[in-house]
mmCIF file of all heavy atoms in Angstrom:
data_model
loop_
_atom_site.group_PDB
_atom_site.id
_atom_site.type_symbol
_atom_site.label_atom_id
_atom_site.label_comp_id
_atom_site.label_asym_id
_atom_site.label_seq_id
_atom_site.Cartn_x
_atom_site.Cartn_y
_atom_site.Cartn_z
ATOM 1 N N ARG X 66 129.356 82.326 53.113
ATOM 2 C CA ARG X 66 129.080 83.411 54.044
ATOM 3 C C ARG X 66 129.511 82.974 55.443
ATOM 4 O O ARG X 66 129.559 81.791 55.748
ATOM 5 C CB ARG X 66 127.600 83.785 54.049
ATOM 6 C CG ARG X 66 126.690 82.716 54.662
ATOM 7 C CD ARG X 66 125.258 83.181 54.705
ATOM 8 N NE ARG X 66 124.407 82.183 55.332
ATOM 9 C CZ ARG X 66 123.084 82.347 55.489
ATOM 10 N NH1 ARG X 66 122.500 83.446 55.050
ATOM 11 N NH2 ARG X 66 122.372 81.400 56.069
ATOM 12 N N GLY X 67 129.865 83.913 56.283
ATOM 13 C CA GLY X 67 130.357 83.574 57.615
ATOM 14 C C GLY X 67 129.992 84.632 58.638
ATOM 15 O O GLY X 67 129.653 85.768 58.287
ATOM 16 N N SER X 68 130.068 84.252 59.914
ATOM 17 C CA SER X 68 129.808 85.172 61.018
ATOM 18 C C SER X 68 130.848 84.922 62.092
ATOM 19 O O SER X 68 131.309 83.796 62.281
ATOM 20 C CB SER X 68 128.401 84.972 61.582
ATOM 21 O OG SER X 68 128.264 83.675 62.115
ATOM 22 N N GLU X 69 131.221 85.965 62.771
ATOM 23 C CA GLU X 69 132.250 85.879 63.798
ATOM 24 C C GLU X 69 131.662 86.214 65.156
ATOM 25 O O GLU X 69 130.932 87.186 65.309
ATOM 26 C CB GLU X 69 133.394 86.840 63.480
ATOM 27 C CG GLU X 69 134.550 86.776 64.462
ATOM 28 C CD GLU X 69 135.685 87.687 64.055
ATOM 29 O OE1 GLU X 69 136.322 87.432 63.027
ATOM 30 O OE2 GLU X 69 135.906 88.665 64.782
ATOM 31 N N GLU X 70 131.973 85.379 66.141
ATOM 32 C CA GLU X 70 131.471 85.589 67.505
ATOM 33 C C GLU X 70 132.658 85.720 68.447
ATOM 34 O O GLU X 70 133.540 84.867 68.462
ATOM 35 C CB GLU X 70 130.603 84.406 67.923
ATOM 36 C CG GLU X 70 129.967 84.560 69.298
ATOM 37 C CD GLU X 70 129.070 83.385 69.627
ATOM 38 O OE1 GLU X 70 127.987 83.276 69.032
ATOM 39 O OE2 GLU X 70 129.488 82.568 70.476
ATOM 40 N N THR X 71 132.710 86.797 69.198
ATOM 41 C CA THR X 71 133.814 87.053 70.126
ATOM 42 C C THR X 71 133.307 87.012 71.559
ATOM 43 O O THR X 71 132.306 87.646 71.894
ATOM 44 C CB THR X 71 134.451 88.438 69.869
ATOM 45 O OG1 THR X 71 134.917 88.496 68.524
ATOM 46 C CG2 THR X 71 135.627 88.678 70.810
ATOM 47 N N THR X 72 134.010 86.256 72.386
ATOM 48 C CA THR X 72 133.672 86.148 73.809
ATOM 49 C C THR X 72 134.808 86.717 74.636
ATOM 50 O O THR X 72 135.958 86.305 74.493
ATOM 51 C CB THR X 72 133.437 84.681 74.212
ATOM 52 O OG1 THR X 72 132.399 84.116 73.406
ATOM 53 C CG2 THR X 72 133.053 84.585 75.680
ATOM 54 N N SER X 73 134.510 87.694 75.488
ATOM 55 C CA SER X 73 135.520 88.300 76.365
ATOM 56 C C SER X 73 135.329 87.787 77.779
ATOM 57 O O SER X 73 134.200 87.698 78.271
ATOM 58 C CB SER X 73 135.400 89.831 76.338
ATOM 59 O OG SER X 73 135.657 90.328 75.044
ATOM 60 N N ARG X 74 136.451 87.472 78.432
ATOM 61 C CA ARG X 74 136.397 86.967 79.802
ATOM 62 C C ARG X 74 137.321 87.793 80.684
ATOM 63 O O ARG X 74 138.446 88.106 80.293
ATOM 64 C CB ARG X 74 136.817 85.497 79.871
ATOM 65 C CG ARG X 74 135.980 84.573 79.031
ATOM 66 C CD ARG X 74 136.296 83.104 79.360
ATOM 67 N NE ARG X 74 137.717 82.823 79.261
ATOM 68 C CZ ARG X 74 138.342 82.517 78.131
ATOM 69 N NH1 ARG X 74 137.665 82.503 76.991
ATOM 70 N NH2 ARG X 74 139.639 82.249 78.127
ATOM 71 N N VAL X 75 136.827 88.145 81.875
ATOM 72 C CA VAL X 75 137.652 88.861 82.845
ATOM 73 C C VAL X 75 138.580 87.860 83.522
ATOM 74 O O VAL X 75 138.171 86.751 83.883
ATOM 75 C CB VAL X 75 136.766 89.566 83.896
ATOM 76 C CG1 VAL X 75 137.627 90.218 84.961
ATOM 77 C CG2 VAL X 75 135.869 90.590 83.227
ATOM 78 N N ASP X 76 139.827 88.246 83.711
ATOM 79 C CA ASP X 76 140.815 87.372 84.350
ATOM 80 C C ASP X 76 140.700 87.521 85.867
ATOM 81 O O ASP X 76 141.311 88.391 86.463
ATOM 82 C CB ASP X 76 142.221 87.739 83.865
ATOM 83 C CG ASP X 76 143.222 86.639 84.162
ATOM 84 O OD1 ASP X 76 142.806 85.488 84.342
ATOM 85 O OD2 ASP X 76 144.429 86.940 84.217
ATOM 86 N N THR X 77 139.918 86.676 86.499
ATOM 87 C CA THR X 77 139.646 86.772 87.934
ATOM 88 C C THR X 77 140.814 86.226 88.753
ATOM 89 O O THR X 77 141.644 85.467 88.241
ATOM 90 C CB THR X 77 138.381 85.981 88.291
ATOM 91 O OG1 THR X 77 138.616 84.587 87.994
ATOM 92 C CG2 THR X 77 137.190 86.473 87.484
ATOM 93 N N PRO X 78 140.890 86.578 90.037
ATOM 94 C CA PRO X 78 141.942 86.019 90.897
ATOM 95 C C PRO X 78 141.918 84.491 90.933
ATOM 96 O O PRO X 78 142.962 83.843 90.952
ATOM 97 C CB PRO X 78 141.626 86.605 92.277
ATOM 98 C CG PRO X 78 140.918 87.886 91.981
ATOM 99 C CD PRO X 78 140.107 87.616 90.750
ATOM 100 N N GLU X 79 140.717 83.904 90.930
ATOM 101 C CA GLU X 79 140.612 82.453 90.957
ATOM 102 C C GLU X 79 141.195 81.827 89.693
ATOM 103 O O GLU X 79 141.887 80.801 89.754
ATOM 104 C CB GLU X 79 139.145 82.037 91.123
ATOM 105 C CG GLU X 79 138.544 82.339 92.480
ATOM 106 C CD GLU X 79 138.168 83.810 92.669
ATOM 107 O OE1 GLU X 79 138.258 84.579 91.691
ATOM 108 O OE2 GLU X 79 137.792 84.179 93.791
ATOM 109 N N ALA X 80 140.931 82.454 88.539
ATOM 110 C CA ALA X 80 141.486 81.951 87.283
ATOM 111 C C ALA X 80 143.003 82.115 87.255
ATOM 112 O O ALA X 80 143.723 81.240 86.759
ATOM 113 C CB ALA X 80 140.852 82.690 86.108
ATOM 114 N N ARG X 81 143.486 83.207 87.788
ATOM 115 C CA ARG X 81 144.931 83.431 87.839
ATOM 116 C C ARG X 81 145.609 82.392 88.728
ATOM 117 O O ARG X 81 146.679 81.873 88.393
ATOM 118 C CB ARG X 81 145.229 84.845 88.349
ATOM 119 C CG ARG X 81 144.885 85.935 87.339
ATOM 120 C CD ARG X 81 145.191 87.311 87.884
ATOM 121 N NE ARG X 81 144.945 88.333 86.860
ATOM 122 C CZ ARG X 81 145.114 89.637 87.044
ATOM 123 N NH1 ARG X 81 145.524 90.088 88.215
ATOM 124 N NH2 ARG X 81 144.870 90.496 86.071
#
Side-chain angles (χ1 to χ4, degrees):
R66 69 177 182 180
S68 63
E69 183 177 293
E70 183 177 288
T71 302
T72 303
S73 297
R74 301 191 307 276
V75 176
D76 197 22
T77 63
E79 290 77 7
R81 288 180 176 180

